[in-house]
Structures are given as C-alpha cells and as structure tokens.
Amino acid sequence: NAGVTQTPKFQVLKTGQSMTLQCAQDMNHNSMYWYRQDPGMGLRLIYYSASEGTTDKGEVPNGYNVSRLNKREFSLRLESAAPSQTSVYFCASSNSGGYNEQFFGPGTRLTVL
Amino acid sequence: GIQVEQSPPDLILQEGANSTLRCNFSDSVNNLQWFHQNPWGQLINLFYIPSGTKQNGRLSATTVATERYSLLYISSSQTTDSGVYFCAVRAGYALNFGKGTSLLVTP
C-alpha cells in the first residue's frame, strides 16, 4: 500500500516549457487534489476532483490544467511555465462524505528559470 | 475564505520539554487536521480532529469547535519532532492551511 505517489520528485524547466506532474493513489479514494506550497507558507489549493469525471478550480488555478484520468490518477499540467510557478507541488486524496481526512504525496519540487 | 492563525510562529525547545501549539480559525469547519512537515518536506498526518480530544503516543490534540480553536500538545520532545507543524481546516473541499509553527528541538 503505497498511499499517494507523485512523479517526478524534482524538475527544472525553462520559461515557456510545458510539463505534466503525475499523481496516483491506491486507497480507493473518490476525491483528489493539487496544492502548491511557497516558501514560508502553508499549502494553497490549485484544482480538485471531487469524483472521477469532475474537476473544479481552487484558490490559485491560473496557468494550470488538470485531468482526472481514472479513479486512481490525477495529473497537473503546466502549458507554458513561468518563474512564478516555481514551487513545491503536493497531490492529496481523500474519501468524499463525512470522514474526509486528506493524505498527501511526497511532493514535486519544481524550478522554472 | 476561512482564516487560520497559528501560534507561536517559531519555537525552540530543549529535548525533553513540553509544548503547546495553538490554531485559531475564523468560521465553522467540518474537518480539522494537524500535520508535521519534516525537514525533508514530507507532510505527515498527525490528527484528524474536527472536535474532541485524541492522543497518539507523546502527541495529543484538542479541538473546541464552538470556540474555533485547536491545540496540539507535544510532550517529552525529541530532536525528531523538529520541523513545521500545520493546522488545516476544511469548509467545502479545500483544506485551508495556517502558516505553521516552526519547531526546533535541540539536544
């Protein structure tokens, strides 16, 4: 039982390049989330997927797109990376409904030059 | 959105000391979690505690939802307790995080 896994762990991009961050969970959770963490701050929600087939914007969605590929997988795409997107990206998952504790992956450290 | 304030922002303890971290939030919530972010950046779930009191070894937490605060107690601290402790509350789908308490435990 690996929990929430993310790839890659580290990535360096040049301004304007694109990339996709991958996330998978094996806890049979319905809901999945993408957050970013900037220095000295807590996490902020980028996008979430309440259930397979649905996605919605969070607090900071600009510059990102997401795909809920199936129940297990939720990817985050940067179409044209900007230095302001330098951050640590965390994927999380949870059950929907009453007991909805969120569990987090190990994070992807992204630098945009 | 919901405001989450944590105190103190920084804390230095000697090994073996006890501490209390506080989280205040501005509105009703349906979930509250405490996390430990270790020096390698991993977020470790400590407690899921929308109300009441829970204990796990040297750590315990209490949430008083009607008064909009939660407390995390760390007893007999160890150097491995170092890192940042986050409180996060949920209203809707997102977890709203505080800025954390940075804890350093010295030998």
Side-chain angles (χ1 to χ4, degrees):
Chain A
N1 189 341
V4 180
T5 57
Q6 293 183 233
T7 55
K9 288 187 169 53
F10 302 94
Q11 184 72 48
V12 179
L13 294 178
K14 294 180 180 177
T15 297
Q17 287 184 318
S18 62
M19 78 162 296
T20 299
L21 281 65
Q22 306 286 354
C23 174
Q25 52 92 10
D26 63 3
M27 295 177 281
N28 201 34
H29 286 161
N30 288 322
S31 302
M32 297 185 73
Y33 314 82
W34 278 105
Y35 292 84
R36 62 178 285 173
Q37 183 179 28
D38 298 307
M41 298 183 67
L43 281 68
R44 293 181 293 167
L45 185 68
I46 304 170
Y47 271 92
Y48 66 95
S49 171
S51 60
E52 189 178 353
T54 69
T55 60
D56 282 288
K57 295 178 181 179
E59 181 185 352
V60 287
N62 291 346
Y64 306 96
N65 286 301
V66 290
S67 295
R68 183 74 183 267
L69 304 169
N70 49 54
K71 190 171 185 179
R72 289 188 64 247
E73 298 173 289
F74 188 38
S75 63
L76 178 72
R77 183 161 178 83
L78 287 70
E79 291 290 352
S80 179
S84 60
Q85 294 178 304
T86 293
S87 190
V88 181
Y89 291 85
F90 288 95
C91 178
S93 69
S94 74
N95 284 320
S96 50
Y99 187 87
N100 48 34
E101 182 177 5
Q102 290 191 20
F103 296 87
F104 285 78
T108 294
R109 188 173 297 274
L110 175 67
T111 301
V112 183
L113 302 174
Chain B
I2 292 182
Q3 304 301 310
V4 181
E5 294 185 359
Q6 292 186 242
S7 59
D10 301 283
L11 188 58
I12 300 175
L13 298 175
Q14 206 154 22
E15 208 167 17
N18 303 328
S19 61
T20 301
L21 282 57
R22 187 175 179 102
C23 172
N24 292 332
F25 46 95
S26 61
D27 207 342
S28 300
V29 298
N30 56 35
N31 175 9
L32 187 145
Q33 292 184 240
W34 282 97
F35 297 91
H36 174 213
Q37 187 165 41
N38 65 22
W40 296 270
Q42 282 184 296
L43 278 167
I44 299 163
N45 289 39
L46 298 177
F47 294 102
Y48 172 88
I49 187 166
S51 64
T53 297
K54 291 186 176 180
Q55 179 148 13
N56 184 1
R58 296 181 296 104
L59 274 60
S60 64
T62 294
T63 297
V64 183
T66 52
E67 296 187 23
R68 299 179 184 166
Y69 74 89
S70 183
L71 302 174
L72 178 69
Y73 306 95
I74 304 174
S75 64
S76 303
S77 58
Q78 300 175 358
T79 55
T80 52
D81 294 332
S82 296
V84 182
Y85 289 80
F86 287 106
C87 168
V89 302
R90 177 169 172 153
Y93 283 98
L95 276 179
N96 297 279
F97 282 75
K99 292 187 176 180
T101 292
S102 179
L103 173 64
L104 176 64
V105 181
T106 61

